[in-house]
Amino acid sequence: MSSTKKLIVGNWKMNLTIHEASVYVHHLVTKVQSHRDVEVVLSPTMLALQPISLQIDRRQFKLAAQNFYWRDHGAFTGEVSASQLRGLVDYAIVGHSERRHIFHEHHKEVRSKVQAALRNNIKPILCVGETAHERMSGEMRDVLHDQILGGLTNVTSSDMSEIVIAYEPVWALSDGTNYSEHKVPTPDDLKKAIGTIRNQISHLYGEKASKEVRVLYGGSTNGSNAASFLSVEGVNGLLVGGASLNQHEFVKIIETAHGMESK
Ligand code: 13P
């Protein structure tokens, strides 16, 4: 598998005010070492992106948008476009299960957002993952296939180097606080899901793309279980929710990623 840097993304979801986010980052910069083998990305509320961009050194932290609208401009009251985020963020989360399930975003929106991010020089982090029901019904493979195909339709081979895929089984996501005791996939479960994702990329874009695409795991990760996920073959990093709001946990995850050999 690829020997890329580990990618650790903190998705703060709808938490922290602008002031709280700024205080959090103020402390985080003193605790997170810059490591050449780990890329750390912060994904705060949209409102905090600009102030945090002025607070951070882009060599230490990169920024990701949690969401955006796929049109570049126009009469879309209340929306923010990828073209408005251009230059401010390096990444954007697309197809998160909370957007799919709560805001009813389907393949069409997801693929339009992937395209909008790419044309604005923003790397999409495409989230895929099955629900508990789909897992119980043996549909994990089909769901991942549909979500990958749905999101990547219109993505060319040369775009693939910009794409990150995050496997986030919906049944493993915490509510933001119970990430230490929540159910998570076993290393075997995870290996199977990552294998499914990489196989499909191979089918669509060839062997090289399948080895090189960065694939993250997300779902109740924390400082104590990060190593077990990061050591699964084909996992290039973590998309961290609840634990990224706890400095101790988040720093521990980054330090765990540091020095772990990519498989
Ligand atoms: P938790 O780590 O809180 O389960 O959230 C994962 C997630 O949804 C990240 O996008």
Side-chain angles (χ1 to χ4, degrees), residues 11 13 96 98 168 172-174 176 179 218-221 239-243:
N11 175 9
K13 306 193 180 180
H96 193 283
E98 287 149 17
E168 294 211 313
L173 301 192
S174 85
Y179 51 78
S220 298
T221 54
L239 180 50
V240 186

Side-chain angles (χ1 to χ4, degrees), residues 189-223:
D189 290 337
L190 185 52
K191 194 172 168 192
K192 206 181 287 173
I194 301 293
T196 300
I197 292 168
R198 290 196 185 273
N199 273 342
Q200 199 188 3
I201 298 298
S202 169
H203 181 68
L204 296 170
Y205 297 97
E207 190 67 12
K208 187 167 181 284
S210 124
K211 284 195 173 129
E212 289 177 357
V213 66
R214 289 181 291 173
V215 182
L216 313 182
Y217 167 70
S220 298
T221 54
N222 58 56

